[in-house]
Amino acid sequence: MHESHIQDNAQMGPSDGWIPLGKDPLQQPRDVPVLSVERLAVSYETRYGDVPAVRDVSFTVQRGEAYSIVGESGCGKSTVAFSIVSFLGRNGKIVDGHVLFQGRDLVGHSEEELRKLRGDRISMVYQDPMQALNPSLRIGEQLAEVLTVHRGIGQSEAEDRCIHMLEQVHMPDPANVMRRYPHQISGGQQQRVVIAMALLNDPALLIMDEPTTALDVTVEAAVLDLVAELQHKFDTAIMYISHNLGVVARVSDQVGVMYAGTMVERASVNDVYLRPSHPYTLGLMRCVPRLGMDKAASYLYPIRGRVPSPRNLPPGCIFEPRCDFARPVCRQKSPEMCEVEPEHWARCHFAAEILSGKLEPPQDAVPDLQALAERRASDETVLRVARAKTYYEAPSKQLIGGEKQYVKAVDDVSVEMKRGHTLGIVGESGCGKSTLVKTIIGLESPTGGEFEFMGMDISMPVSKRSLDLIKELQMVFQNPDATLNPSFSVGSQIGRPLRRFKAVPAHQVRDEVVRILDLMRLGENYYNRLPRQLSGGEKQRVGIARAIAGRPELVLCDEPVSALDVSVQAAVLNLLLEVQQEMGTTMAFIAHDLSVVRFFCDTIAVMYLGQIVEFGPAEAIYAPPYHPYTEALLSAVPIPDPRAAQKHIRLSGSVPSALHPPSGCRFHTRCPRRLLLPDGGQICTVEPPPWQRNTDEHRIFCHIPLDTLRQMDAVVTIQE
């Protein structure tokens, strides 16, 4: 930042035409952007000197517009957001550029002036609502404080306004919620409280940093609906940060794509998704599984390599080491941001050729898709679970003589898994997915039912299982940091199961570990590395390597890609497919992203409140007839295509307690389809539904006749 510019702005007063921060002009012209970022550069002071985190970033956000910034982790998305409100920490600083809010430059102003602005004219919603909520204060106190501090109004009027705003964000029983503490409401309700808090002062700009990442797909859909509704109701400009391309496609008007601290493409959402002109944007789009893709006929194309460190940026174009279109000029000269066509900008020497289709990505890395399509697993049953029950005893309300109560996490579940197939398990949090898998692996003890694996009874905890049985049943967890020992090298952790299970002779262990590392696309140079020296995606590959080292018959995967960037996710999914193809491994795969499940799985089980409500081949689950719950899940999943039109089906209320599940059909308290029944759905409240078979392999647990369910329209259609 030029010092003279900072000094001039700092000395300006009302007589110079400067409007004090936090005070809106009486009439803000609509043609003046709410936010205009011009050639922004941010650095952090470290022991190595100043490290550039953001360089040459420019974009504008108009009133009533949603502007999204997308990119992999470490690309600088959040740094841009925090620089707008001067939340860069003690060692962060804006070194160049301007941040104009409603025509006024925020750079160079005192912390006191910016503090008055934050929470008043500019509000921010964080990824984790508990970061913004004080756990020791009631929600009403925290909401009212926003108005009493920034508006100076009385406590009584502030409380009335807070209740009204909670109603605006569709919070059930807002007066009661005001008296609760944050831990006494659900995650989705916590996020609604934070959004209500952000909107209390009618801000001109709302910054949202990954606000739905930790939410269920159904809650996420409701929050995104709420954001769109409030955007139009309050005419608020929204800056949305996310790595989820489906979410960005749903909420955005304009999109900026960031890579390694700089913006490489910006345009309308349709142009970015349907006509990308930068190789990085094109690579992101090729990483994401679409809802209709399946593993027999599709392939994901991960971007090789990783985002470079800001301390060690490559010369020339920063994307050149990972680019499929790279030429000698890319290593020699850094490209400028150029307007490829009206309102479509890209930072690439060959953007025009990519946009016109004259340059296409190479196809030599594509595997033999026909071989994948022809791969068919055997019909031999590897795992059979019948009438499984896993209950947890809950504390009784009576100290003495109280009747025992149980949380019915898994209740009367039956599934079969064929050799070499992948079973996908989907549903909201609390539906019993992870409990079912943990019961199979032996981490939880079943309350009842039959568990048979390769002809052996496995209805006992893992501590009582034989070593041979443990060898054949392995698990990949969501968080590799929780499963990798930080004190041991990658090689020793992958080699341990080989030694423990005597999978290879002792003198061959290292060679086998190197072979597995090559299979994981890591290589021998990772053998002596520690987990802290790996990226998140590399840690997950090590977790997978350790799980498959003993060549198990069944691998259970619990949300293994949910926390990964789209490029790393694509690489891990491809890797799992290749492992399955080479080793014939049977897999169970838990995920909340239905696009990933559709791509990766052969058979899908949809779970709700401890029970399976629909079961069948993947292609059958994604086409009518649906169970009403499956239909609602499909209508909620964000699709990375702005042309996608989805039926608007939103479930009311939250998942009931598994301690006291509803009578009859457990889904009847939220089912939007009950009225299709002649009695208005009364039978759903008193009688458990029957299993209805659409085909020999596809069955639905519902009272609504199959003929009626078959008449449903498809949830997702693509508008050409």
Side-chain angles (χ1 to χ4, degrees):
M1 181 50 140
H2 299 297
E3 293 183 5
S4 59
H5 180 78
I6 296 176
Q7 179 114 5
D8 290 343
N9 269 339
Q11 293 175 350
M12 288 179 70
S15 60
D16 303 306
W18 170 256
I19 301 167
L21 294 177
K23 304 294 184 181
D24 250 350
L26 294 177
Q27 294 292 333
Q28 180 72 31
R30 291 198 67 90
D31 59 347
V32 175
V34 172
L35 177 69
S36 181
V37 176
E38 301 174 357
R39 304 189 73 84
L40 177 68
V42 177
S43 291
Y44 286 94
E45 297 177 4
T46 71
R47 59 180 177 176
Y48 304 104
D50 283 3
V51 175
V54 168
R55 305 173 312 285
D56 192 20
V57 169
S58 301
F59 62 93
T60 60
V61 187
Q62 303 289 345
R63 184 185 301 182
E65 179 180 77
Y67 193 101
S68 292
I69 298 181
V70 69
E72 295 171 280
S73 299
C75 282
K77 307 184 297 295
S78 295
T79 300
V80 170
F82 291 141
S83 66
I84 293 170
V85 291
S86 191
F87 272 171
L88 294 173
R90 288 183 297 177
N91 65 329
K93 56 186 177 181
I94 296 175
V95 295
D96 199 1
H98 309 281
V99 178
L100 303 176
F101 174 66
Q102 293 183 328
R104 296 157 288 172
D105 201 338
L106 303 185
V107 177
H109 287 280
S110 68
E111 178 62 27
E112 178 63 22
E113 288 179 301
L114 292 171
R115 188 189 67 80
K116 292 178 180 178
L117 180 68
R118 293 193 294 256
D120 184 12
R121 303 306 302 139
I122 300 177
S123 293
M124 194 160 183
V125 177
Y126 298 90
Q127 176 176 344
D128 181 3
M130 289 304 288
Q131 289 183 348
L133 296 175
N134 189 325
S136 63
L137 293 178
R138 297 182 191 273
I139 287 169
E141 296 175 283
Q142 299 184 61
L143 287 170
E145 184 181 31
V146 175
L147 292 170
T148 56
V149 169
H150 289 288
R151 289 289 185 263
I153 64 176
Q155 187 70 27
S156 178
E157 183 183 354
E159 289 181 2
D160 290 341
R161 289 197 190 184
C162 292
I163 292 174
H164 176 69
M165 183 55 71
L166 288 177
E167 291 173 346
Q168 295 289 304
V169 299
H170 307 297
M171 177 70 75
D173 195 8
N176 185 31
V177 169
M178 291 277 287
R179 296 191 293 270
R180 296 183 185 178
Y181 289 95
H183 72 272
Q184 294 176 311
I185 60 176
S186 69
Q189 290 175 329
Q190 290 172 1
Q191 198 62 283
R192 287 171 188 262
V193 168
V194 172
I195 293 173
M197 184 184 296
L199 291 170
L200 273 172
N201 286 327
D202 190 17
L205 176 65
L206 179 62
I207 302 173
M208 310 190 81
D209 188 4
E210 301 269 17
T212 62
T213 298
L215 303 179
D216 275 323
V217 65
T218 51
V219 181
E220 176 182 66
V223 170
L224 295 179
D225 289 344
L226 173 64
V227 170
E229 177 186 337
L230 297 175
Q231 175 188 350
H232 293 99
K233 181 181 293 185
F234 293 92
D235 204 22
T236 303
I238 294 178
M239 179 179 162
Y240 201 100
I241 296 169
S242 181
H243 69 272
N244 188 320
L245 295 175
V247 169
V248 170
R250 177 177 287 184
V251 304
S252 308
D253 300 304
Q254 301 286 322
V255 177
V257 182
M258 284 197 69
Y259 180 76
T262 192
M263 193 163 283
V264 296
E265 185 165 5
R266 66 175 191 263
S268 69
V269 64
N270 282 346
D271 283 343
V272 167
Y273 277 74
L274 305 179
R275 306 175 64 245
S277 60
H278 193 280
Y280 179 59
T281 311
L282 184 62
L284 289 178
M285 300 305 163
R286 284 156 50 93
C287 287
V288 184
R290 311 290 168 136
L291 201 58
M293 294 172 64
D294 64 81
K295 65 182 181 182
S298 306
Y299 191 74
L300 302 177
Y301 300 85
I303 305 172
R304 65 176 183 271
R306 64 168 79 173
V307 179
S309 165
R311 290 197 298 114
N312 189 26
L313 294 174
C317 175
I318 54 175
F319 189 60
E320 181 271 332
R322 307 175 71 190
C323 183
D324 291 328
F325 303 95
R327 302 290 188 273
V329 66
C330 302
R331 288 184 288 273
Q332 300 162 4
K333 181 181 178 182
S334 177
E336 296 291 331
M337 186 69 106
C338 299
E339 194 169 19
V340 188
E341 60 183 20
E343 304 302 322
H344 190 161
W345 298 73
R347 193 183 299 272
C348 178
H349 294 300
F350 306 103
E353 288 88 338
I354 294 173
L355 189 62
S356 65
K358 293 179 181 178
L359 283 180
E360 294 184 357
Q363 300 295 320
D364 54 354
V366 181
D368 186 352
L369 296 179
Q370 187 61 34
L372 280 174
E374 291 174 356
R375 181 197 63 80
R376 284 293 177 265
S378 72
D379 290 331
E380 178 188 353
T381 298
V382 171
L383 177 73
R384 187 180 68 87
V385 176
R387 302 178 301 281
K389 296 181 180 180
T390 304
Y391 296 173
Y392 301 106
E393 186 174 345
S396 174
K397 293 182 179 179
Q398 300 180 21
L399 295 178
I400 301 176
E403 183 180 353
K404 289 185 178 180
Q405 295 181 311
Y406 295 93
V407 175
K408 299 177 180 179
V410 174
D411 195 15
D412 196 23
V413 166
S414 299
V415 295
E416 288 188 358
M417 295 181 63
K418 304 293 185 181
R419 185 182 301 278
H421 278 274
T422 301
L423 170 67
I425 307 175
V426 300
E428 296 168 285
S429 297
C431 72
K433 308 184 300 292
S434 294
T435 301
L436 175 60
V437 167
K438 289 178 180 178
T439 305
I440 293 171
I441 201 73
L443 296 177
E444 301 289 353
S445 298
T447 307
E450 301 174 11
F451 295 79
E452 185 180 293
F453 173 68
M454 298 177 64
M456 297 178 286
D457 179 19
I458 59 170
S459 57
M460 77 284 288
V462 69
S463 59
K464 296 182 178 180
R465 295 181 180 181
S466 68
L467 199 61
D468 289 339
L469 182 55
I470 293 173
K471 171 182 177 294
E472 298 295 345
L473 273 168
Q474 292 293 309
M475 191 161 181
V476 179
F477 295 89
Q478 178 177 358
N479 182 8
D481 285 321
T483 57
L484 296 179
N485 190 320
S487 302
F488 289 87
S489 70
V490 166
S492 65
Q493 298 196 57
I494 298 175
R496 186 174 187 275
L498 293 173
R499 297 185 180 91
R500 175 88 170 150
F501 301 137
K502 298 179 180 179
V504 296
H507 68 279
Q508 295 180 8
V509 168
R510 182 182 175 91
D511 290 341
E512 180 64 11
V513 170
V514 171
R515 189 190 72 80
I516 294 172
L517 285 172
D518 288 338
L519 181 63
M520 297 294 112
R521 304 289 189 270
L522 292 175
E524 187 174 2
N525 59 322
Y526 280 80
Y527 190 96
N528 293 315
R529 294 190 188 183
L530 295 172
R532 62 181 172 80
Q533 297 173 300
L534 308 180
S535 68
E538 289 169 341
K539 290 176 187 175
Q540 193 61 286
R541 291 181 188 216
V542 173
I544 295 170
R546 193 173 61 177
I548 68 166
R551 290 185 169 264
E553 185 64 44
L554 176 62
V555 175
L556 307 174
C557 304
D558 189 2
E559 303 261 18
V561 297
S562 62
L564 304 179
D565 281 321
V566 290
S567 180
V568 181
Q569 173 184 282
V572 171
L573 289 175
N574 286 343
L575 176 63
L576 287 171
L577 288 177
E578 292 169 16
V579 167
Q580 186 174 54
Q581 184 186 18
E582 177 177 317
M583 303 173 61
T585 310
T586 307
M587 294 186 182
F589 190 88
I590 294 176
H592 66 271
D593 188 332
L594 275 75
S595 300
V596 170
V597 173
R598 173 69 178 92
F599 169 78
F600 188 72
C601 301
D602 301 292
T603 308
I604 295 175
V606 182
M607 287 193 70
Y608 182 80
L609 204 59
Q611 296 182 331
I612 291 177
V613 297
E614 186 167 2
F615 186 90
E619 62 272 13
I621 298 292
Y622 288 81
Y626 311 106
H627 186 281
Y629 181 58
T630 308
E631 183 185 31
L633 290 178
L634 289 171
S635 74
V637 61
I639 299 175
D641 190 334
R643 301 170 300 173
Q646 292 171 274
K647 291 168 66 176
H648 192 276
I649 302 170
R650 297 293 180 261
L651 300 179
S652 59
S654 56
V655 179
S657 169
L659 184 63
H660 300 291
S663 60
C665 173
R666 295 188 177 182
F667 187 57
H668 83 261
T669 58
R670 304 171 73 199
C671 181
R673 294 283 185 180
R674 283 174 55 197
L675 297 179
L676 293 175
L677 291 165
D679 64 352
Q682 282 300 114
I683 190 174
C684 302
T685 65
V686 294
E687 290 187 20
W691 277 107
Q692 302 184 78
R693 289 192 175 273
N694 181 44
T695 65
D696 290 341
E697 298 178 318
H698 182 204
R699 62 184 191 269
I700 297 175
F701 194 55
C702 187
H703 284 293
I704 302 173
L706 275 178
D707 288 342
T708 304
L709 295 177
R710 289 190 184 106
Q711 294 173 10
M712 292 180 179
D713 295 328
V715 171
V716 180
T717 55
I718 303 297
Q719 299 174 336
E720 298 296 341

